[in-house]
Amino acid sequence: MARIAYILLCHKDPDAIIQQAERLTAVGDFISIHFDARANKAHFDKIQSALGGNANVVFAKKRIKCGWGAWSLVQATLYAVQAAEEAFPRATHFYMLSGDCMPVKSAEYAHQFLDAKDVDYIESFDFFASDWIKTGMKGDRLFYRHFFNERTHKWWFYTSYKMQKRLGLDRKIPSDLQVMIGSQWWCLRRRTIEAVLEFCRKRKDVMRFFSTTWIPDETFFQTIVRHLVPEQELSSRTLTFLVFSDYGMPANFYNDHYDMLLSQDYLFARKISPEAKELKRRLGALYASQGEQFNISNEGRSMFKFLTGRGRMGRRFAQRFWEAESSLGRERELMIVTCKKWHVAKRLIEQTRKETNVPVIEYLFNEESTPLPDLGGIQTTLEKRTRHRRALMRMLFDYYDTDRLIICLDPSNLDLMQDFYADRSTTKLLEIRTEFTDDYLIGHATRIGLASESTPPETIDRLLPTIRYDMRFESERIRDSDFPFYFRMEERKTATENAAALSGFLDISPEVAQRIAGTEYLYVD
């Protein structure tokens, strides 16, 4: 009878990880966990402490820092697979999961399903002939070497890529491989896993090739498995049910999706909303149930599209993205940095990103040129961003696959601050108060069209007190709003004094906060 070793990559929510591991191993299955080395060490310690005595749980022998679209995701998977293959000799199948996945069938059903066919379940479509990639980079994912992460080092990513193209530094795909592409959520038989690990040990050329391929988690296993396993032993599908919106984002499932999820021809579903406590409880109990019968209708994607296309009442099938009451998500934390001198805030959040790896976005509601991912058009203009602000922020959380995000707002955007604070998510605000010289205020008046090079000096003299008061008034309005989790840095204070505010705002150690607060040239105009 099938016994499954689950391969779990995760980076957050230790309590949910512990519950997931206990649930899956309670019926005799196994789990191998890789917890992102970028994540909170205390969270990993908590998981280890809770699961250390469970003989059906093993941890990857090495933890690495993972980045979306990078080789690190494949390497982390291999570390977890190696640990599972060694620790669980009775495991017949190896199944990839994320922390957002939940079973939609019982263990009894899953084992019988896997016993029924002696095949590997993995999407694998021809990389060049299929239309699996809808937009963006395709062949160049493979033809050029990608040393930098597009999300965290965008400038370096594209500069390196363009330079290779200009110099003709393209490369060949290993001659004996047909590159395939598909979902990263696979279920492979033990002998396939053993063959893949042996292939990795022998074919260093293939490992080098994929280690600088962009988004290799969609191509590495898909290509290697197709290379090693006869076609008649492959089922080119995933056993994890997921739905993508028209904006390329995975849809979340809520409490009232229970019946729909059970009727799909899948064993797991992704992504279960962090807010869907009742759905998680019911699905958790389902996995251990006996004698459960499932009526497979498999209409999930078409039903989801039909209902979301017509809006909804109450909470069924999630709110349409433009509804004003849409939420960022109760488990998420939005951190707002506000400063009238935009260059100061930009320097601070860039240093914060380097020190903490929390995604940062500059003045997205103030500068149309702020770099943003393609979110289906909602990001194209300042007017759209502001009108659909909560939907935009929720999509950015999903895009960066994070529960913590830092943005910059101008102090004049009090209405946006109030709206975000009214959300169910946690919102924090850091105000950076800077000094304004007369020269700076004159330059500011010129930039916003209040003055020009030909404006008489006496007119400038009358303008300066008004502009200075206006900036002070914006700051006072923010303070008078009595926002919770409000922190303030001031240019006239020392880096040590400002580090205390940063430590509370970012929830980081005083040492890291001190390095950020001491950023060189932070306040230089």
Side-chain angles (χ1 to χ4, degrees):
M1 184 177 186
R3 294 189 69 181
I4 306 169
Y6 291 102
I7 309 302
L8 177 62
L9 301 192
C10 49
H11 64 278
K12 60 182 179 180
D13 202 350
D15 292 328
I17 299 305
I18 293 167
Q19 291 173 10
Q20 189 178 39
E22 291 175 340
R23 181 188 310 121
L24 296 176
T25 58
V27 295
D29 287 324
F30 313 99
I31 190 166
S32 178
I33 299 172
H34 179 278
F35 195 75
D36 195 337
R38 293 187 191 277
N40 191 320
K41 184 179 183 300
H43 290 176
F44 180 61
D45 292 341
K46 183 176 184 179
I47 295 170
Q48 275 195 313
S49 176
L51 300 175
N54 189 329
N56 285 12
V57 176
V58 70
F59 294 90
K61 293 180 180 178
K62 186 175 181 180
R63 291 172 59 213
I64 60 173
K65 296 178 179 179
C66 296
W68 186 92
W71 169 252
S72 53
L73 285 177
V74 176
Q75 186 63 74
T77 304
L78 287 171
Y79 284 145
V81 167
Q82 289 165 357
E85 191 265 342
E86 293 175 10
F88 309 128
R90 291 191 294 165
T92 61
H93 293 76
F94 295 72
Y95 194 123
M96 269 290 293
L97 286 179
S98 77
D100 296 318
C101 296
M102 288 287 291
V104 294
K105 298 291 186 294
S106 64
E108 179 183 61
Y109 179 97
H111 295 156
Q112 292 173 355
F113 182 95
L114 294 176
D115 281 334
K117 280 188 175 182
D118 187 22
V119 297
D120 295 305
Y121 293 93
I122 181 169
E123 279 191 351
S124 57
F125 305 103
D126 186 278
F127 185 92
F128 296 101
S130 72
D131 64 347
W132 204 86
I133 299 174
K134 303 296 183 185
T135 60
M137 188 183 294
K138 188 171 182 178
D140 288 357
R141 289 190 188 188
L142 309 174
F143 299 147
Y144 297 97
R145 299 164 182 84
H146 301 281
F147 302 104
F148 304 98
N149 190 290
E150 192 266 349
R151 290 191 175 182
T152 57
H153 297 89
K154 188 181 290 289
W155 186 87
W156 283 109
F157 178 90
Y158 285 107
T159 299
S160 170
Y161 164 59
K162 291 174 183 176
M163 185 175 296
Q164 290 179 72
K165 292 194 75 171
R166 188 161 54 247
L167 297 175
L169 299 178
D170 56 331
R171 60 178 179 173
K172 301 292 185 183
I173 297 170
S175 59
D176 59 331
L177 292 185
Q178 178 186 6
V179 178
M180 311 298 287
I181 192 167
S183 167
Q184 69 187 100
W185 311 111
W186 42 253
C187 178
L188 303 177
R189 297 165 298 172
R190 183 177 195 89
R191 64 175 176 269
T192 300
I193 285 293
E194 292 171 346
V196 168
L197 293 177
E198 179 64 18
F199 182 90
C200 293
R201 284 189 286 268
K202 290 182 176 179
R203 293 295 300 272
K204 301 302 181 184
D205 60 322
V206 174
M207 301 298 282
R208 285 193 297 271
F209 174 80
F210 279 104
S211 68
T212 52
T213 294
W214 182 230
I215 320 183
D217 53 307
E218 293 180 352
T219 55
F220 179 79
F221 287 98
Q222 297 78 358
T223 299
I224 305 307
V225 171
R226 177 70 71 164
H227 180 73
L228 296 172
V229 178
E231 186 170 359
Q232 62 270 22
E233 295 182 24
L234 290 175
S235 177
S236 188
R237 58 161 297 190
T238 175
L239 298 180
T240 298
F241 179 65
L242 62 164
V243 176
F244 286 94
S245 72
D246 292 339
Y247 298 89
M249 297 297 172
N252 284 285
F253 298 113
Y254 294 88
N255 290 334
D256 51 358
H257 288 122
Y258 180 80
D259 293 332
M260 184 270 285
L261 290 175
L262 264 60
S263 66
Q264 306 313 304
D265 189 20
Y266 295 87
L267 303 184
F268 280 76
R270 181 180 191 273
K271 291 182 166 185
I272 307 301
S273 169
E275 301 169 27
K277 306 295 186 185
E278 178 63 13
L279 177 61
K280 288 186 174 184
R281 185 195 66 78
R282 296 179 72 184
L283 292 177
L286 174 71
Y287 194 70
S289 65
Q290 295 285 326
E292 190 79 29
Q293 299 297 312
F294 298 92
N295 182 24
I296 306 299
S297 57
N298 219 31
E299 81 305 327
R301 289 192 175 90
S302 58
M303 182 187 292
F304 195 97
K305 184 175 183 179
F306 175 81
L307 290 170
T308 53
R310 285 154 177 77
R312 69 183 223 169
M313 298 298 294
R315 297 289 300 160
R316 184 157 187 79
F317 289 100
Q319 296 158 310
R320 295 175 71 176
F321 79 88
W322 55 81
E323 292 177 337
E325 65 270 25
S326 62
S327 170
L328 276 60
R330 193 183 301 277
E331 308 297 324
R332 287 169 168 170
E333 185 176 301
L334 176 64
M335 293 172 281
I336 302 171
V337 176
T338 185
C339 181
K340 201 65 182 179
K341 290 185 176 180
W342 292 1
H343 61 279
V344 174
K346 290 177 181 180
R347 289 171 187 161
L348 184 87
I349 67 167
E350 176 57 22
Q351 188 63 28
T352 299
R353 184 193 62 75
K354 292 178 181 177
E355 293 284 352
T356 67
N357 206 44
V358 176
V360 301
I361 303 173
E362 296 177 357
Y363 286 83
L364 72 166
F365 295 104
N366 304 104
E367 286 186 302
E368 201 153 283
S369 60
T370 298
L372 290 172
D374 185 355
L375 301 174
I378 191 175
Q379 83 291 344
T380 52
T381 66
L382 289 178
E383 190 273 334
K384 282 186 178 181
R385 297 177 200 172
T386 303
R387 187 168 75 247
H388 305 309
R389 49 190 172 270
R390 290 199 196 180
L392 174 67
M393 295 310 304
R394 181 154 197 152
M395 294 169 77
L396 287 169
F397 274 106
D398 288 340
Y399 176 82
Y400 288 105
D401 192 20
T402 184
D403 286 333
R404 305 184 78 212
L405 188 65
I406 302 173
I407 66 169
C408 293
L409 288 181
D410 188 86
S412 63
N413 295 135
L414 184 64
D415 57 334
L416 290 177
M417 299 176 197
Q418 290 170 333
D419 187 62
F420 288 133
Y421 263 102
D423 190 77
R424 287 176 294 174
S425 60
T426 298
T427 302
K428 292 182 176 181
L429 179 65
L430 173 68
E431 181 185 7
I432 307 175
R433 300 192 71 175
T434 59
E435 304 299 317
F436 300 104
T437 65
D438 286 352
D439 285 343
Y440 179 85
L441 292 178
I442 292 171
H444 176 73
T446 302
R447 285 190 295 274
I448 65 176
L450 287 176
S452 67
E453 293 181 0
S454 59
T455 302
E458 56 271 21
T459 303
I460 294 291
D461 291 340
R462 289 196 300 271
L463 272 176
L464 290 184
T466 303
I467 297 171
R468 193 182 300 275
Y469 173 79
D470 188 56
M471 292 183 175
R472 188 181 303 119
F473 176 69
E474 289 177 352
S475 179
E476 292 302 321
R477 283 203 310 161
I478 291 173
R479 295 185 65 183
D480 291 343
S481 296
D482 292 325
F483 291 128
F485 306 115
Y486 166 75
F487 304 86
R488 186 169 70 252
M489 291 175 58
E490 298 187 35
E491 182 177 355
R492 59 183 178 82
K493 289 185 176 181
T494 66
T496 301
E497 290 174 312
N498 284 329
L502 262 177
S503 180
F505 175 67
L506 295 170
D507 192 23
I508 56 177
S509 68
E511 294 76 20
V512 176
Q514 179 77 34
R515 290 200 296 270
I516 298 173
T519 299
E520 197 172 6
Y521 307 121
L522 180 61
Y523 297 104
V524 175
D525 292 332

